[in-house]
Amino acid sequence: MKEDNRNLLLAIVMSVVILLGWQFFYAKPQMEKQQEAARQNQQAQSQQAPAASGSTPAPSTPGGSAAPGTAATQAVGTREQALAASPRIKIDTPRIAGSISLTGARVDDVSLKAFRETVDPNSPIIVLLSPAGGPNAYYSDFGWVAAPGSSVAVPNAKTVWTADNQTLTQATPVTLSWDNGQGLIFKRIIGVDNNAMFTIRDEVENKGATPVTLFPYGQVVRQGRPHTLGYYVLHEGLVGYVGEHGLQEWTYDKLDKEPALSPGTVGRNWKDAVGGWVGITDKYWAATVIPDQKRKFEGRFSSVQTGSERTYQADFLGEAVAVAPGASAASQSKLFAGAKEVAAINGYERDLQITRFDLLIDWGWFYFITKPMFLLLDWIYKHVGNFGVAILIVTVLLKALFFPLANKSYASMAKMKALQPEMTAIRERYADDKMKQQQALMELYKTQKINPVAGCWPVLLQIPVFFALYKILFITIEMRHAPFFGWIHDLAAPDPTNIFFFLPAAMTSYLHLGIWPIIMGITMFIQMKMNPEPPDPVQKMMFTWMPVFFTFLLGSFPAGLVIYWSWNNLLSVTQQGFIMRKNGVKIELFDNLKGMFGKKPATANTAATPPKPANTNKK
C-alpha cells in the first residue's frame, strides 16, 4: 500500500512538473514573442524616423559586374511618407490595392483586400509589400544587367519612368518607358490578373550604332528580419524551386551563416537551371519572381548588412540577350505577390506551366498525405460550407477506410482480454524463468491465432494522419479565420475560452485551457477506461494521468485539431464497444469508473479473520 501511494505521488508530481514546464518554457515564450513582435510592428508604423534603409544589388552577371539598384534609399519616415516620396501608378483589382513606384519601377505597395489581420471584419487588410524608405520595406523589381565591362546605362533604382496611364487594372496594363540617352529605349509592360499574379515584359530597342548584350533579372528584397513563428513544421524565409537543383528552403538564420558570394554579401546560388522560381515566404503570404520557364537562369539567395539591419534577397539572372543596331529584344517574367491559396497556386502551376509552383505551400514530409487530405477537405467544405464539419466528415471517412484493419486489431485485443486469466497463470507459473514465460505466452498466442501487437496498428495509422491534419490546419490559409460553431471563430487558432479566466493575467498568459481540450481529455479518458486496468501501479497511474497531460498539452493547439481528436476518440470508443460486444468481451468502462470513485472490495489481506476452531481436547 505504501509503495502504491509513493508511485501515485511520484506520478502526480511528474505530471505537474511536465505540464508547468512545457507551459513556462515553451508556450509562454512563444506567446510573449508574438506579443512583442506585434508591439514592435505597431511602434514601427507610428515612428516618424525609422532606421536608415537601402536597396541591395540586383544579381551579378556571369562576369560579376554591378547591377542596378545598388544606391541606398534615404529613410523618410512612415510608410505613408515613403509612398508619397515617389510618383506612383495606382493598382486596383478585385483582390489587390496598392501602387507601383515610377522611381525604379518597383512593385512595392501591395495590400490584399480579401484578408484582414484578425477575425474582426473591420480590422485592417493585410499589407504585404512596402516601399524602401519606410518601416518593413519589402518589394520586387525587374530589369536588365549590362555585360561585364560595358558602359551602357541601364535602368536602376533611381530611374524615373514615364507611364502611359495612371491606373493598373486587370483589364488595363501599364506601359513604362525610359530613354538612356545612348540610343537604347527601354519599355516595361506590366499586367495583373484578377488575383495576385503580375506579368512583367521588358523590351529594349537599340537605335544606336553598336550592338549591346543585356541580362534580364528579377528580385524580391526584404529589409530587416521579419518576425517568424519559429515552428519546426513551418518554413518561413527564402524559398524556391531551381530546376534540377530542386526545392530550396532557407531560413534567415541559415542564410546568414553561408559563405560570402561577394564582399559583404553571403548566400547561395544555383546555375544553369531551367524551370522554377525564387522568393520569400511567410506563413500565409509570399512574394516570388518567376523567370521564363524554358530558358536557363541562375537562382540566388543572399543576405547583406545594410546599416543596422540585414537585407534578404531572392533573385534570378537570365541568359544573355544580344540586341543588334536597329533591332529589339524582350524578356518576360512574372511576380506572384499574394496569399498562398491552394486553388490559386495549383491553377498557376497548371495554366502558366510554372515548374513545381505548388511547393510554395509547405506541405512537409507527408506531402503525399497532406495535400490529398486538404483537397478532400476543401471539396467537402464546398458542399457543406463549414471546414469544421468537413473535418468531422473526413474523420468518419478515414474510420471507414481503416475499418477492416481496425476491426481485426480490436478483435485481437478483445481475444487478448479474454485470455487474461490464462496469461496471468502462465506468468505466475514461470515467474522465475522469463524465457519459458515468453515461450509459453507465444505458444498461447499461436494456438489462439492472436497477434499481440495488432492493437498498435490503429494508433500507428493515426500518427501520419494526425500530423497531416495538423499541418493542414497550421499552414493553409483556407483554415485561417475559418469558423466552426459557437465560440470557435478560427479553426487555425487555439480555443479562445479559458477555465482559468479568474486567475491574474500574468498567470493566464501561460496557463490556458479551453472547453474543447477538456472535451478531448474526457473522450480520451473514456477510451482508456474501456480496457482492463494494468496490474502494475506505475502503468496504472500513467494511463490515468495521460488524458490530463494531453488535455493541457492541446490547450495551445489549433481548435480544429482538438475537435478532430475529440471526434476521433468518440468514434473509436463506439467502434471498440461494438467489436467487444460482438466478440463477447466485457466492456470494463463502468467497472473501472466504479473502482475509481466507489469503495474498493476488501482484499485477502484486509478480510475479516476467520473464527478459531473449537477446542475439543478435554482434560
Side-chain angles (χ1 to χ4, degrees):
M1 187 67 179
K2 187 179 294 184
E3 182 72 16
D4 287 354
N5 290 335
R6 191 187 73 176
N7 291 332
L8 173 61
L9 180 61
L10 180 62
I12 293 174
V13 171
M14 290 299 295
S15 298
V16 172
V17 169
I18 292 172
L19 287 172
L20 294 181
W22 186 88
Q23 290 283 349
F24 185 79
F25 291 107
Y26 182 77
K28 183 181 179 183
Q30 286 290 336
M31 187 175 296
E32 290 177 346
K33 185 179 179 182
Q34 295 179 19
Q35 291 171 346
E36 179 63 23
R39 284 194 295 268
Q40 291 176 358
N41 184 60
Q42 184 177 9
Q43 292 172 0
Q45 294 289 349
S46 61
Q47 285 178 348
Q48 296 301 311
S53 62
S55 60
T56 57
S60 302
T61 64
S65 65
T70 58
T73 303
Q74 185 177 358
V76 295
T78 64
R79 184 175 190 274
E80 290 71 25
Q81 290 173 320
L83 290 172
S86 168
R88 293 187 166 271
I89 296 169
K90 182 180 179 181
I91 303 174
D92 187 13
T93 75
R95 293 172 67 88
I96 288 179
S99 61
I100 298 173
S101 172
L102 286 177
T103 301
R106 285 177 174 170
V107 182
D108 61 358
D109 175 25
V110 170
S111 296
L112 308 180
K113 295 180 179 179
F115 302 96
R116 298 189 176 272
E117 292 182 359
T118 70
V119 293
D120 183 354
N122 296 318
S123 63
I125 62 175
I126 293 295
V127 175
L128 179 59
L129 301 184
S130 293
N136 307 316
Y138 187 18
Y139 54 85
S140 175
D141 59 23
F142 297 80
W144 300 95
V145 176
S150 173
S151 60
V152 174
V154 293
N156 59 36
K158 294 184 177 181
T159 299
V160 179
W161 296 71
T162 302
D164 65 345
N165 72 65
Q166 296 302 308
T167 303
L168 170 64
T169 70
Q170 62 188 96
T172 56
V174 170
T175 299
L176 310 181
S177 58
W178 179 70
D179 188 336
N180 76 343
Q182 300 175 354
L184 295 181
I185 307 296
F186 293 90
K187 289 186 178 180
R188 181 168 300 163
I189 303 168
I190 305 176
V192 64
D193 67 2
N194 60 359
N195 189 11
M197 187 67 77
F198 293 82
T199 299
I200 315 293
R201 180 178 174 82
D202 273 307
E203 298 178 353
V204 57
E205 181 182 1
N206 187 357
K207 292 187 176 182
T210 59
V212 297
T213 300
L214 303 173
F215 297 81
Y217 78 90
Q219 63 184 10
V220 175
V221 180
R222 192 169 211 168
Q223 295 177 359
R225 179 180 298 195
H227 165 67
T228 57
L229 297 176
Y231 289 103
Y232 179 73
V233 296
L234 173 69
H235 174 68
E236 297 170 283
L238 289 82
V239 63
Y241 192 89
V242 191
E244 63 275 13
H245 303 287
L247 179 66
Q248 302 295 331
E249 294 180 323
W250 293 69
T251 63
Y252 299 105
D253 283 331
K254 181 180 177 182
L255 188 62
D256 288 340
K257 297 174 184 177
E258 282 297 294
L261 288 172
S262 60
T265 301
V266 299
R268 178 67 67 89
N269 63 332
W270 302 270
K271 297 184 177 181
D272 298 325
V274 177
W277 44 274
V278 293
I280 300 177
T281 182
D282 298 321
K283 180 178 181 179
Y284 294 124
W285 334 103
T288 66
V289 287
I290 305 159
D292 188 322
Q293 296 295 286
K294 295 181 180 180
R295 299 177 66 90
K296 288 184 179 181
F297 70 94
E298 176 185 345
R300 186 180 72 161
F301 297 159
S302 61
S303 168
V304 63
Q305 189 72 29
T306 52
S308 61
E309 60 187 9
R310 295 199 71 84
T311 296
Y312 300 91
Q313 179 171 306
D315 57 58
F316 73 81
L317 183 69
E319 290 182 308
V321 175
V323 189
S328 299
S331 172
Q332 183 160 303
S333 310
K334 295 185 183 298
L335 165 68
F336 172 82
K340 298 190 295 185
E341 296 173 287
V342 177
I345 298 298
N346 289 346
Y348 287 137
E349 179 183 26
R350 179 186 63 250
D351 299 337
L352 302 180
Q353 299 294 303
I354 304 174
T355 305
R356 298 313 307 267
F357 198 52
D358 65 322
L359 296 181
L360 180 59
I361 300 173
D362 181 18
W363 295 110
W365 292 345
F366 291 102
Y367 175 96
F368 58 95
I369 298 177
T370 310
K371 188 175 181 181
M373 182 180 291
F374 171 80
L375 295 176
L376 177 61
L377 272 170
D378 190 53
W379 183 83
I380 295 175
Y381 163 74
K382 291 174 181 176
H383 288 79
V384 301
N386 187 294
F387 266 115
V389 174
I391 290 172
L392 302 184
I393 294 174
V394 167
T395 307
V396 174
L397 295 177
L398 290 172
K399 280 291 182 183
L401 177 65
F402 296 128
F403 180 80
L405 183 58
N407 185 46
K408 291 182 180 179
S409 174
Y410 284 130
S412 179
M413 290 172 61
K415 291 180 182 179
M416 289 279 288
K417 292 172 187 175
L419 291 176
Q420 283 295 327
E422 295 183 50
M423 294 167 63
T424 302
I426 290 174
R427 291 191 180 98
E428 292 176 353
R429 188 182 312 142
Y430 301 107
D432 298 328
D433 193 336
K434 296 298 182 183
M435 184 173 293
K436 286 187 177 181
Q437 183 184 115
Q438 289 299 319
Q439 289 176 349
L441 287 173
M442 290 298 107
E443 186 62 30
L444 178 63
Y445 297 150
K446 184 178 180 181
T447 304
Q448 298 296 328
K449 297 180 180 180
I450 294 176
N451 183 358
V453 298
C456 300
W457 282 111
V459 177
L460 294 176
L461 284 173
Q462 285 187 55
I463 292 175
V465 173
F466 175 84
F467 184 81
L469 185 60
Y470 175 72
K471 189 83 170 177
I472 289 170
L473 289 166
F474 199 73
I475 68 166
T476 56
I477 194 169
E478 288 80 0
M479 294 293 173
R480 180 180 184 265
H481 298 171
F484 185 48
F485 296 113
W487 61 92
I488 302 298
H489 302 294
D490 186 357
L491 288 169
D495 188 329
T497 60
N498 188 7
I499 64 171
F500 299 112
F501 66 91
F502 54 87
L503 294 177
M507 297 183 66
T508 56
S509 63
Y510 65 90
L511 191 60
H512 185 98
L513 186 61
I515 295 175
W516 269 107
I518 293 174
I519 294 173
M520 188 285 306
I522 293 173
T523 59
M524 188 176 184
F525 174 79
I526 293 174
Q527 186 179 17
M528 289 192 165
K529 291 300 178 181
M530 292 278 288
N531 305 313
E533 294 186 345
D536 182 72
V538 176
Q539 291 184 7
K540 182 178 178 180
M541 282 300 107
M542 287 179 61
F543 280 102
T544 300
W545 285 95
M546 190 178 294
V548 178
F549 173 76
F550 275 93
T551 297
F552 279 88
L553 180 65
L554 267 70
S556 61
F557 275 49
L561 191 68
V562 181
I563 292 170
Y564 156 77
W565 203 336
S566 304
W567 178 238
N568 184 70
N569 287 346
L570 184 61
L571 294 177
S572 297
V573 167
T574 305
Q575 184 183 43
Q576 186 176 352
F578 170 77
I579 294 173
M580 290 173 71
R581 287 185 180 276
K582 181 180 177 182
N583 288 272
V585 178
K586 181 182 178 182
I587 299 175
E588 304 285 347
L589 175 62
F590 297 106
D591 286 347
N592 287 335
L593 293 178
K594 289 179 182 178
M596 285 187 63
F597 303 108
K599 186 176 180 180
K600 295 184 179 180
T603 62
N605 294 332
T606 60
T609 305
K612 295 181 179 180
N615 187 1
T616 58
N617 186 14
K618 296 181 180 180
K619 294 183 179 177

